[in-house]
Amino acid sequence: MFERVTSRFPRTSAPRTRAAVLAAGLGTSVVLGAGVAVAVDNTAASGAAGAVQAQAAAQAKVAEAQAKAVEAQAAKAKKAAEAKKAAAAKAAQAKKAAKAAAKKKAASWIDPVESYKLSASFAQNGGMWAHKHSGQDYAVPTGTPVVAAHGGTVVKAGGNGAGDGPAYGNAVVIKHGNKTYSQYAHLSSVNVKVGQVVKTGQKIALSGNTGNSSGPHLHFEIRSTPDYGSAVDPVKFLRGKGVTV
């Protein structure tokens, strides 16, 4: 008789084997699923961080642009203020220069007397003179100081109209530049002599009523020569020099 041979290794049933394989596969799936989930979470976190960084960078860029805009606006405002200040200073300087020029111009020529009233005017007709009136009369009391209307040199001085005739009484003629002469007549006294240099506003005589005169006044002429017959309108002339007559 033969002995029954029994196997040392137990036989595993097919169902158990299949169950083991399924379990192993399930475990692998769980592990893989967990890894995928972690990877997804990491990607999401990385994407969110990138979005935050991008947003922060964009905000920083906007803030920088706004700061530059504010800085540019401030610089523009400062420049405008400086330009306005410079313009104001320039206007003030121009005004000052104009005032100084006007003052200088006015001081260059002045009225020959103060506190007067204009009477007989230039080229006026009348019975007191043979022809039309050759000057402008300033009605003032006898003894009123008469001054040089402009600086120059005395070329005529004395009685008999200083050589222009007795109708002028005591008179003075001053030579100025550019062929311009001024004449002062009907004086009560003469305080200068021929050849004397006088300044603008310097006293040269006292007003009076000498010669062909109907009352105390100063007869004033502007001439193109030292002699009678070359007179121009003295009021128009003085106003052209900035003098208020």
Side-chain angles (χ1 to χ4, degrees), residues 38-233:
V38 171
V40 170
D41 289 343
N42 289 339
T43 302
S46 177
V52 170
Q53 289 179 350
Q55 184 177 5
Q59 290 177 343
K61 190 173 182 180
V62 170
E64 184 180 0
Q66 289 177 341
K68 286 183 178 180
V70 171
E71 185 178 353
Q73 188 175 3
K76 186 177 180 180
K78 183 179 179 182
K79 187 176 181 180
E82 289 176 350
K84 186 177 180 181
K85 186 177 179 180
K90 188 176 181 181
Q93 186 176 4
K95 185 177 180 181
K96 185 177 180 180
K99 188 176 181 180
K103 186 177 181 180
K104 183 178 180 181
K105 186 177 181 180
S108 179
W109 283 86
I110 62 174
D111 279 315
V113 289
E114 294 182 355
S115 302
Y116 57 83
K117 180 179 179 181
L118 296 179
S119 50
S121 59
F122 179 75
Q124 180 178 323
N125 291 315
M128 294 296 296
W129 41 84
H131 304 287
K132 290 184 178 182
H133 196 222
S134 57
Q136 174 64 54
D137 286 351
Y138 291 76
V140 290
T142 296
T144 299
V146 177
V147 300
H150 188 63
T153 303
V154 178
V155 293
K156 289 184 177 182
N160 194 37
D164 288 325
Y168 284 111
N170 298 322
V172 173
V173 176
I174 300 174
K175 178 183 179 181
H176 311 290
N178 298 323
K179 297 181 179 180
T180 302
Y181 299 79
S182 59
Q183 187 246 24
Y184 313 76
H186 304 307
L187 306 172
S188 61
S189 65
V190 174
N191 303 122
V192 292
K193 58 185 180 180
V194 175
Q196 183 176 340
V197 176
V198 295
K199 298 179 180 179
T200 302
Q202 181 176 333
K203 178 182 173 183
I204 59 172
L206 296 177
S207 65
N209 191 31
T210 59
N212 188 13
S213 174
S214 60
H217 71 282
L218 170 70
H219 175 87
F220 177 71
E221 294 185 12
I222 292 293
R223 299 174 172 179
S224 58
T225 73
D227 304 319
Y228 170 79
S230 62
V232 298
D233 186 344

Side-chain angles (χ1 to χ4, degrees), residues 16-32:
R16 291 180 61 186
T17 301
R18 286 195 297 271
V21 171
L22 288 172
L26 180 60
T28 302
S29 297
V30 170
V31 172
L32 289 174

